[in-house]
Amino acid sequence: MRKKNHEWEDEIIGLGSGLINPNSEDFRGLREQIETYSSQVSSTDKMQIKISGIKYRMETYLNDPSPKQVIPVGKFLEDLIEIIGVYHKDFATYIGINSSNLSALLKGTRRFNRDLVLKLGHIFNIDPAIWLNIQSKGDIWAAHQENSANYKQYKLNDLLNKAG
């Protein structure tokens, strides 16, 4: 009988109550079914699945009240461009900006604007507000890191006492 300290090197911890042995016949059968299905999915569908994954990452990041790190909005765009397999120069031309501006957007030295997020919304089917909200989240986090002591002085009770 196997110990609870997870001695198997190849085991996968799933969401169920036990461990999954990837060397078992059941697991190999499942793997074969997944590989068979995957080989039948078109490259366009695979790309859409990956885009949906990035969209989910964006929404998850945006809804995380205390992320471990700030992810610049340009990183998500860079990942999407990589998924669709288009050169940065061609992507920049398609959306009507210079390659250097796209590079600055991806690096976070240039801000996303309304026009850009509307274009990205149509291209990737991602709500334009998500792009701007991620950018704002990063801005607020940076401001908080730089000036957190300056903001601690502002309290509702102090305002009410001074005004009343």
Side-chain angles (χ1 to χ4, degrees):
M1 182 174 222
R2 138 177 98 80
K3 295 180 184 178
K4 287 272 190 187
N5 67 357
H6 313 298
E7 291 180 350
W8 290 352
E9 288 181 22
D10 295 329
E11 64 192 353
I12 297 172
I13 299 173
L15 298 176
S17 60
L19 299 174
I20 299 171
N21 179 357
N23 297 318
S24 72
E25 187 176 326
D26 288 340
F27 188 83
R28 284 193 304 257
L30 176 61
R31 180 180 293 157
E32 287 175 23
Q33 288 178 345
I34 292 170
E35 288 171 354
T36 299
Y37 174 77
S38 179
S39 69
Q40 297 169 356
V41 176
S42 72
S43 59
T44 301
D45 287 344
K46 286 179 184 178
M47 182 175 56
Q48 286 300 325
I49 291 167
K50 290 178 181 179
I51 289 171
S52 294
I54 299 294
K55 179 180 178 182
Y56 177 75
R57 273 186 34 220
M58 292 171 77
E59 292 169 346
T60 301
Y61 171 73
L62 193 56
N63 292 320
D64 185 350
S66 55
K68 308 255 184 296
Q69 67 180 24
V70 171
I71 302 173
V73 68
K75 174 63 177 142
F76 293 108
L77 178 57
E78 186 172 30
D79 291 347
L80 287 164
I81 293 171
E82 184 179 323
I83 287 170
I84 62 173
V86 173
Y87 290 113
H88 287 185
K89 177 184 167 192
D90 294 334
F91 187 81
T93 300
Y94 182 75
I95 62 173
I97 64 173
N98 294 328
S99 295
S100 60
N101 287 340
L102 177 61
S103 180
L105 287 164
L106 298 178
K107 291 178 185 175
T109 57
R110 185 173 186 98
R111 298 184 55 75
F112 284 43
N113 61 36
R114 294 175 302 189
D115 181 56
L116 176 62
V117 299
L118 289 169
K119 290 174 184 177
L120 296 176
H122 284 283
I123 293 168
F124 296 112
N125 194 28
I126 296 175
D127 183 354
I130 291 175
W131 297 96
L132 293 177
N133 289 336
I134 291 172
Q135 181 170 266
S136 294
K137 184 173 187 162
D139 292 346
I140 291 168
W141 185 87
H144 181 71
Q145 295 301 313
E146 294 168 7
N147 304 311
S148 65
N150 294 343
Y151 299 114
K152 290 182 181 181
Q153 66 182 337
Y154 298 102
K155 297 180 178 141
L156 179 59
N157 286 339
D158 291 343
L159 171 63
L160 295 175
N161 289 334
K162 289 178 183 178

